[in-house]
Structures are given as C-alpha cells and as structure tokens.
Amino acid sequence: MMLGSVVVGVGIAGSVRMRDLLAPLPSSAAEKFSIRGFVSRRTLEDQQGVKQISMMEALSRDDIHVAFICTENTNHEEHIRQFLEAGKHVCVEYPMTLSYTSAVDLWNLAQQKGLVLHEEHIELFTPDFKQLKKDIAGKTLEEGTLHFTGGPLKANFGFPSFSGIARLTWLVDLFGELTVTAASLVEEKENKYMKLTAHFLTGQQKPLTWIEERAPGLGRAKHIDLRFQDASITELPAGQREPVGLFMQDLVLFGRKLQGEVSAAELQDERSRILHCLQLADRIQQLSEHTQA
Ligand code: NAD
C-alpha cells in the first residue's frame, strides 16, 4: 500500500521534503510515500506540481496517512498532536517540541494510537559526523568542547538549547548520557547577538562544554576541541561525501519504521536519546534563565 503524505510548512525544509517525496531514492523504503498535497498558512500556487490543501482536508482524508511537519519550532507540538489525534503517522523536523514534558506526552499518544512518531536528525547523517564517530571510537575522553557559530535565527525557533538540539544530539550520540552542571545565556537583542554556554559531565565524570553562538556575519561552523587519553581532535574530519542527500536518508529511515523494518531495540534507543536530549535542553533553559535574572 502507498502511504499518502502531506507536507505542512513550505520553507526550506518543507520544499526539500516535497522534492524528495516526488523523486524518492529508487528501491528504498522512501518509495512507499506518495505526496497528496501541502498545507501552508499562506495561499500558494502549486509547488513543484503539488497542490495546496487545507489543514482540515489533510487531517480528515482517508488517503492521507502521513504528515511531515516542517513549520517553525513553536508550532510543532500543536501540529504533531492534531495529526496523531487524526490517526496519521508523523515525521517532524527537529526539535519535535520546545519542552521535555510535551515530547513525552506526544510519544505516549503515538504509542496509544499505534502510530509512528519520527523526529528528523539529519545532523547524524552528515559525512563529518560519521567520520568523527569512527575517529573517536575506542578513545577515552578527558575533556571536550563543541562550539557552534551561525547567523541569527528567525523568529519562533525557541530557546537556543532547543533550536540547537542538533549539537546536543551530536554530544549525546558520541559520549552517552550527560548531566548539566551549569548553563548561561548572554543576549544582546539590539545586536542580534546571543551566546549560550552549557557545561556537562559525562557518565565517566569528564567535562564537556557546548557553546552556541549566533550573530550577524558569523559563519555557520562547528569548532571542536576533544582531548582523549592519548590523542586530541581539534578539527572536524572531512568525511566522504555520499550520493544520497541528508533529508533523503532520513526519509528512508522513516519509511523503514513504517514498514516495521527497524527493530524494537533500535527504536527504543532512539527514543531514549531524543528524550534525553530534550530533557537536557529543558534543564539548560531553566539554568540559563535563572542566571540571567
Ligand atoms: P523556514 O524559515 O524556511 O520555514 C519555516 C516556516 O516558515 C515554514 O512553516 C514556512 O512555511 C514558513 N514560511 C517560510 N517563508 C514564509 C513566508 N514568506 N511567509 C510566511 N511563512 C513562511 O525554516 P526551515 O529551515 O524550513 O525550518 C523548518 C523546520 O525544519 C524547523 O523545525 C527547523 O528546525 C527544521 N530543520 C531545518 C533544517 C534545514 O536545513 N533548513 C534542518 C534540520 C531541521
């Protein structure tokens, strides 16, 4: 059976989703999707040959089984809930929500309804990350820093520990569950400048620091400084470029989940990681708001 799909939110991510749904990777689980329309708050022409439909129609049509939520972060939660309530599977761009408790609620709702709730994490598919993970395998961390820089975020992307969840996900995927020891936020609204600093301890009590810094003119980059017992890595390795795009890799993973091809153990590990990261993001927000006051 084909999985009728709708894309909600036609920004950068939503447009890429439509492109990928229209030309899925051959002989992959992504071929199971069939795009039936897109939903937008704006009234738009056909996009890539796909027609706009109303939210009501997307929620009620029997031939729509799957929703891709590609709107800005502040309204992911409401959209996920609406589609799950309507009995549709959901793929949501990260971060799925802007609080840990709402994410737990939504996972429970998905489980009750027997639906797949999938959070996209393309940052785990980048060649750099895959190479870094290989390079540090077997090494014992002593201390590390991940410093992200980029331009100012648009409105409605949430507190930086949530909008930057991809960096947190890297750290957790590389070093396991973390404990937040301190966090602070420096913000100069008039200059569109912000810098979030979070300190963690790993399970082996080793210190890790995450810095998320955004300002006009700051280039998008990740700086790493990882010290191991007998080596250090101070530059991201350049991984081997792959022919399959990042969002397509995510689409294939989501498709495999819908076909029951991903093991229960793998699903459980992923869910634990996602919820752990959102819990850390929540804690970082609490501590930062406290220190700011
Ligand atoms: P975006 O700013 O391009 O789009 C965000 C929302 O704004 C969409 O709902 C879109 O419909 C709406 N929008 C865009 N232009 C508009 C306009 N002129 N008027 C009114 N509304 C308009 O942001 P994005 O990069 O697509 O991000 C969407 C989601 O995807 C976010 O949750 C983000 O965290 C996630 N995400 C994006 C990327 C990426 O590479 N862009 C990667 C990973 C996750």
Side-chain angles (χ1 to χ4, degrees), residues 8-15 39-42 44 69-73 75-76 92-95 120 122-123 154 157 163 220 247:
V8 183
V10 190
I12 298 168
S15 303
V39 172
S40 177
R41 286 156 289 187
R42 294 166 285 165
L44 295 173
I69 309 299
C70 310
T71 55
E72 58 278 20
N73 299 339
N75 51 41
H76 287 179
V92 60
E93 311 301 345
Y94 72 70
E120 163 266 310
I122 54 169
E123 76 280 11
K154 289 159 281 190
F157 278 76
S163 57
R220 194 179 166 87
F247 279 96

Side-chain angles (χ1 to χ4, degrees), residues 23-265:
L25 181 67
S27 306
S28 79
E31 283 188 319
K32 285 283 161 196
F33 299 102
S34 169
I35 185 160
R36 307 265 198 254
F38 70 85
V39 172
S40 177
R41 286 156 289 187
R42 294 166 285 165
T43 302
L44 295 173
E45 309 270 278
D46 289 7
Q47 301 286 308
Q48 305 177 50
V50 178
K51 291 219 174 313
Q52 180 161 15
I53 62 175
S54 70
M55 187 61 144
M56 278 270 269
E57 194 179 340
L59 290 166
S60 60
R61 260 168 67 170
D62 289 340
D63 67 337
I64 292 178
H65 312 98
V66 176
F68 290 83
I69 309 299
C70 310
T71 55
E72 58 278 20
N73 299 339
T74 44
N75 51 41
H76 287 179
E77 179 181 346
E78 187 195 335
H79 283 138
I80 298 169
R81 194 178 302 281
Q82 282 178 302
F83 279 99
L84 291 177
E85 295 282 7
K88 318 290 188 196
H89 302 287
V90 170
C91 168
V92 60
E93 311 301 345
Y94 72 70
M96 62 186 285
T97 61
L98 296 174
S99 82
Y100 168 71
T101 45
S102 57
V104 171
D105 272 6
L106 292 170
W107 279 110
N108 290 340
L109 179 59
Q111 199 151 17
Q112 266 170 39
K113 298 252 178 192
L115 296 165
V116 173
L117 172 57
H118 170 78
E119 185 183 41
E120 163 266 310
H121 277 286
I122 54 169
E123 76 280 11
L124 299 179
F125 297 133
T126 61
D128 296 3
F129 181 75
K130 287 176 180 172
Q131 189 59 48
L132 179 62
K133 197 165 171 173
K134 278 187 205 148
D135 290 355
I136 72 166
K139 293 191 169 64
T140 306
L141 181 78
E142 287 299 329
E143 181 167 8
T145 300
L146 170 60
H147 182 171
F148 171 88
T149 59
L153 264 188
K154 289 159 281 190
N156 299 328
F157 278 76
F159 193 79
S161 55
F162 286 92
S163 57
I165 202 91
R167 268 67 71 190
L168 205 44
T169 302
W170 267 31
L171 291 177
V172 169
D173 199 69
L174 293 172
F175 302 114
E177 296 209 344
L178 305 173
T179 309
V180 186
T181 54
S184 59
L185 178 69
V186 175
E187 220 178 352
E188 295 165 18
K189 288 219 164 87
E190 64 285 9
N191 298 324
K192 293 188 170 176
Y193 176 83
M194 75 106 222
K195 182 178 184 180
L196 175 72
T197 306
H199 297 281
F200 308 96
L201 282 177
T202 66
Q204 291 72 42
Q205 306 299 305
K206 301 299 181 187
L208 268 181
T209 302
W210 168 34
I211 301 168
E212 185 88 358
E213 190 175 20
R214 289 183 176 276
L218 267 189
R220 194 179 166 87
K222 292 188 204 79
H223 310 271
I224 58 169
D225 189 350
L226 303 172
R227 313 268 154 174
F228 299 92
Q229 260 169 20
D230 39 27
S232 53
I233 302 180
T234 55
E235 246 176 273
L236 265 185
Q240 187 76 42
R241 272 200 64 153
E242 292 175 53
V244 181
L246 302 177
F247 279 96
M248 186 68 85
Q249 293 184 47
D250 181 69
L251 189 63
V252 172
L253 174 58
F254 181 43
R256 290 179 56 237
K257 287 182 182 178
L258 288 165
Q259 298 200 75
E261 291 174 10
V262 179
S263 74

